[in-house]
Amino acid sequence: MSLIVQKYGGTSVGSVERIKAVAAKVVARHQAGDKIVVAVSAMSGETNRLIDLAKAIHEQPNLREMDVLVSTGEQVTIALLCMALEAEGVSARSYTGGQVRILTDNAHGKARIKEIDGHRIHADLNAGRVVVVAGFQGIDDDGNITTLGRGGSDTTAVALAAALKADECQIYTDVDGVYTTDPRVVAKARRLDKITFEEMLEMASQGSKILQIRSVEFAGKYNVPLRVMSSFQDGPGTLISLEDNDQMEEPIVSGIAFNRDEAKLTIRGIPDQPGVAYKVLGAISEANIEIDVIVQNVAKDDSATITFTVHRNDLPKASELLNQIAEDLGALEVSSDDRIVKVSIVGVGMRSHAGVAAKMFQALAAEGINIQLITTSEIKITVVIEERYLELAVRSLHSAFGLEE
Ligand code: ASP
Ligand code: MG
């Protein structure tokens, strides 16, 4: 007998029919003898609808009241799902975050889970009941309702799995797993049977938005095996877990990730002196602008160039700041470019293989794609290239590293 936490997202519970279909899935697993805890999202579109209502009343609604409002979406689905389970003859009980006592800090709209009390849940499971918990919400020390940020039900599910020491946390969604790359870009992209937490984090932070990043971090920290699977078709999904050291032949590259949301800024002709990088990049991050790739070069004449990327939405603000900094430092030139994309190859197998970067550059060279910036980490190599080459680059890397079916 195992203890499984299942999470169903908004589309999976988007209508009464779908809620009934979820109930049927839960019942099958329950009848097989497993203990089941289900975390659910609000019905698809509901959280946005609630946010729009608030915005129609006040431009910047009170954050505490916002959480009281948006947490209702999940309260609807837990009740409906329990009714559907009871209709199938399975006894079930719903709990809001506060009723479980999912204790969080008091940062409304982006609260972090501090502790989960598993007593009531364990008691219900031992009595043969299915337990259904509202995702995305908790309660602070003073009893205020809090929410965990958009997509937060994933984190609720993982946190429940960690607290209850579940055998697996299954995230049911509208895709049947994690793919080697976006199938909309590469038709031959393949579903991965498994991937490590680290790889998933790299894939996710690059824009594979299957899971909330925080939930993957959480799962890695507490070593909760996570499985991403489809609520609309049967299949094994993708298992996200720790690196399997016994596996003799690991693929060198597990996936190709990309990100279209960044823009590049360059400041040229600045002094090659201690403190200059800090002056340039410190001012940008003090404005709460997140900096991603950073490259610095020093030319023969001892002048330095710094290039970095930021989110495209932050480009106007970052340009303005960079122009001010350029004036202060007597820089030669500031330029920016938002027609860039970031493409990365990701794989824990890279740690033990040489020549991976060369192979990547060779594949891009063969297509005549110019590389503007390069950065690497232990399990990832990233290049910044011109936006129009995105699909070509991803496709050629996908085949160069043998990722197709
Ligand atoms: N309902 C919330 C949202 O739409 C939480 C979730 O679905 O995970 O962001
Ligand atoms: Mg979601």
Side-chain angles (χ1 to χ4, degrees):
M1 190 208 287
S2 13
L3 199 169
I4 308 285
V5 174
Q6 298 189 332
K7 181 258 172 178
Y8 292 90
T11 38
S12 307
V13 294
S15 66
V16 166
E17 286 67 40
R18 287 190 172 172
I19 290 174
K20 287 181 179 167
V22 166
K25 268 183 145 20
V26 173
V27 168
R29 191 82 205 213
H30 182 254
Q31 276 167 352
D34 291 328
K35 293 181 170 176
I36 312 286
V37 176
V38 185
V40 285
S41 292
M43 294 168 82
S44 62
E46 179 62 8
T47 308
N48 289 338
R49 189 186 71 87
L50 295 167
I51 292 171
D52 289 346
L53 285 178
K55 294 256 155 89
I57 289 188
H58 196 294
E59 231 173 87
Q60 278 182 309
N62 177 288
L63 292 177
R64 180 187 182 278
E65 301 318 322
M66 202 62 197
D67 278 351
V68 172
L69 177 71
V70 295
S71 61
T72 60
E74 274 72 11
Q75 191 169 334
V76 170
T77 40
I78 56 171
L80 292 177
L81 180 56
C82 282
M83 292 171 192
L85 287 164
E86 296 274 349
E88 298 251 356
V90 168
S91 108
R93 231 175 227 180
S94 68
Y95 292 97
T96 62
Q99 287 175 320
V100 172
R101 203 163 157 78
I102 296 181
L103 187 69
T104 71
D105 61 20
N106 60 6
H108 286 291
K110 50 172 192 236
R112 293 196 162 253
I113 297 176
K114 297 204 288 192
E115 206 177 273
I116 294 183
D117 183 347
H119 283 96
R120 290 181 80 170
I121 297 180
H122 279 302
D124 281 326
L125 292 174
N126 290 336
R129 292 188 195 103
V130 169
V131 177
V132 181
V133 178
F136 176 57
Q137 55 179 264
I139 196 164
D140 72 7
D141 276 318
D142 299 323
N144 298 302
I145 295 174
T146 55
T147 64
L148 311 177
R150 297 309 304 268
S153 299
D154 292 340
T155 299
T156 302
V158 173
L160 280 168
L164 300 169
K165 302 201 167 29
D167 296 287
E168 196 168 283
C169 180
Q170 303 176 339
I171 308 283
Y172 284 87
T173 176
D174 42 11
V175 294
D176 67 344
V178 179
Y179 276 67
T180 49
T181 195
D182 187 338
R184 284 167 300 188
V185 171
V186 181
K188 286 183 186 158
R190 183 169 48 82
R191 183 185 54 77
L192 292 159
D193 286 324
K194 55 186 198 170
I195 185 172
T196 68
F197 292 121
E198 276 178 292
E199 288 171 325
M200 188 62 206
L201 280 175
E202 295 290 7
M203 297 288 279
S205 62
Q206 304 286 313
S208 306
K209 292 177 187 91
I210 300 176
L211 285 171
Q212 198 198 32
I213 292 183
R214 242 171 85 195
S215 71
V216 183
E217 281 168 0
F218 211 109
K221 187 165 162 199
Y222 293 96
N223 191 13
V224 176
L226 257 184
R227 191 181 290 278
V228 174
M229 50 214 299
S230 162
S231 23
F232 307 115
Q233 80 194 71
D234 288 332
T238 300
L239 179 66
I240 309 166
S241 60
L242 281 182
E243 198 167 336
D244 181 358
N245 289 321
D246 296 339
Q247 202 179 339
M248 298 280 286
E249 246 189 302
E250 230 155 11
I252 299 173
V253 170
S254 298
I256 316 283
F258 56 84
N259 185 327
R260 296 177 163 107
D261 299 333
E262 292 188 19
K264 183 180 81 168
L265 292 124
T266 300
I267 179 165
R268 232 165 43 79
I270 47 178
D272 177 25
Q273 272 167 16
V276 170
Y278 171 64
K279 255 193 200 135
V280 174
L281 301 166
I284 304 285
S285 52
E286 260 158 45
N288 270 323
I289 297 174
E290 240 180 88
I291 301 167
D292 186 24
V293 180
I294 305 170
V295 175
Q296 177 183 279
N297 290 312
V298 177
K300 256 200 195 133
D301 65 358
D302 277 350
S303 79
T305 299
I306 295 178
T307 300
F308 58 96
T309 66
V310 298
H311 195 281
R312 276 187 201 180
N313 295 343
D314 290 328
L315 181 60
K317 177 93 212 200
S319 290
E320 193 190 308
L321 282 168
L322 199 58
N323 277 305
Q324 277 168 27
I325 298 163
E327 228 171 88
D328 293 349
L329 289 174
L332 271 180
E333 185 189 15
V334 168
S335 59
S336 68
D337 184 356
D338 64 357
R339 303 225 160 143
I340 56 140
V341 286
K342 217 173 72 171
V343 178
S344 309
I345 57 175
V346 176
V348 289
M350 263 181 228
R351 282 197 190 112
S352 49
H353 282 85
V356 184
K359 187 168 177 176
M360 180 185 197
F361 305 152
Q362 183 187 30
L364 296 172
E367 300 292 352
I369 299 171
N370 188 41
I371 300 172
Q372 302 179 6
L373 304 173
I374 303 169
T375 65
T376 65
S377 80
E378 254 202 324
I379 65 160
K380 181 179 74 170
I381 302 169
T382 301
V383 296
V384 170
I385 59 172
E386 219 180 306
E387 185 174 37
R388 65 189 165 119
Y389 291 125
L390 171 67
E391 304 199 345
L392 182 60
V394 175
R395 254 186 282 127
S396 65
L397 292 171
H398 197 266
S399 95
F401 287 97
L403 295 177
E404 15 284 332
E405 303 232 42

